[in-house]
Amino acid sequence: MYYRNLEALGYGEEEIQAIAAEHEVTDGPDEEGEMFERPARPSDRFVAPFPNPQAARAANNGALPPDLSLITKARAGGPDYLFALLTGYQEEPPEGVEFVEGMYYNEYFPGRQIAMPPPLFDDAVEYADGTPATVEQMARDVVTFLSWAAEPEMEERKRLGIKVILFLVVLTGLFYAVKRKVWSDVH
Ligand code: HEM
């Protein structure tokens, strides 16, 4: 995804510039042949949090965080699974559960021990319209965003699908009427 794609969600040009500028990208080479860092622009792709998988593992206790751009399509249950995962952390594992150091208990992760620390906590963000920032609310928003990111054209595709079906229904009726007319004098 490019930052400019956020336009489809209703963000204005300046807002998108501001969101992009929060991240640094490597550009160049400049006139001396050196690469340099600059704030991202709307025409840049979303900046990944880690430069490579090794750096990602090193920062996460050896576990590799997956690319989230297609995650709602890459897991059984899709958005429902993702919502359950984000809201499914428990501070204390149930009695009798053996626990590996540095892992977190999550009811919905296969195996129930996940290397991802709970990414959401109450009031982690402030909503411009004053909506209370509960974990459920933020999880719903993150999942909605990721569903859109995985398939930005879905709504358009489904709208077109309905039109195509309606067209075919009308066409079938028309063909049936024509068939009756053409064969009407054959007994
Ligand atoms: C709201 C933001 C986030 C979302 C939606 C998210 C989502 C996910 C998902 C869907 C998985 C894969 C679970 C599976 O394999 O079924 C995952 C794994 C992982 N995430 Fe996150 N994540 C977020 C933030 C973070 C953050 C901030 C960190 C690091 C501090 C992180 C670290 C990891 C790691 C290390 C794994 C691999 C877990 C394992 O294999 O045990 N995530 N995340």
Side-chain angles (χ1 to χ4, degrees), residues 60 64-66 68 71 75 81-82 85 109 114-117 119 142:
N60 285 288
L64 182 66
L68 294 181
I71 197 80
R75 291 288 181 278
Y81 165 70
L82 208 57
L85 187 77
F109 188 64
I114 187 166
M116 165 164 74
V142 168

Side-chain angles (χ1 to χ4, degrees), residues 48-67 115:
F50 302 105
N52 53 56
Q54 288 78 358
R57 278 190 195 278
N60 285 288
N61 224 352
L64 182 66
D67 182 339

Side-chain angles (χ1 to χ4, degrees), residues 8-107:
L9 296 182
Y11 286 97
E13 212 176 304
E14 283 176 15
E15 285 171 308
I16 296 175
Q17 273 168 3
I19 292 170
E22 287 171 15
H23 305 272
E24 293 265 296
V25 292
T26 308
D27 199 352
D30 62 13
E31 278 159 21
E32 273 88 49
E34 304 288 341
M35 302 303 278
F36 58 92
E37 299 283 315
R38 62 160 174 79
R41 301 188 195 115
S43 55
D44 287 308
R45 283 175 192 272
F46 273 55
V47 176
F50 302 105
N52 53 56
Q54 288 78 358
R57 278 190 195 278
N60 285 288
N61 224 352
L64 182 66
D67 182 339
L68 294 181
S69 51
L70 293 174
I71 197 80
T72 58
K73 307 194 75 171
R75 291 288 181 278
D80 291 341
Y81 165 70
L82 208 57
F83 180 82
L85 187 77
L86 290 175
T87 54
Y89 283 93
Q90 276 177 29
E91 285 199 5
E92 290 295 322
E95 240 170 76
V97 174
E98 285 284 326
F99 221 56
V100 180
E101 177 78 21
M103 301 291 269
Y104 302 84
Y105 186 81
N106 189 308
E107 287 238 286

Side-chain angles (χ1 to χ4, degrees), residues 102-171:
M103 301 291 269
Y104 302 84
Y105 186 81
N106 189 308
E107 287 238 286
Y108 296 94
F109 188 64
R112 301 195 171 193
Q113 297 192 38
I114 187 166
M116 165 164 74
L120 303 175
F121 47 90
D122 285 337
D123 298 319
V125 299
E126 200 177 314
Y127 283 96
D129 65 356
T131 305
T134 59
V135 168
E136 280 79 20
Q137 178 68 50
M138 288 180 284
R140 191 160 283 125
D141 290 341
V142 168
V143 172
T144 306
F145 172 75
L146 288 174
S147 303
W148 170 77
E151 222 179 346
E153 76 300 334
M154 186 192 73
E155 290 189 353
E156 184 54 36
R157 178 164 60 74
K158 291 196 171 167
R159 259 197 296 270
L160 183 67
I162 290 174
K163 282 186 208 155
V164 168
I165 300 283
L166 281 178
F167 173 79
L168 289 176
V169 167
V170 171
L171 197 69

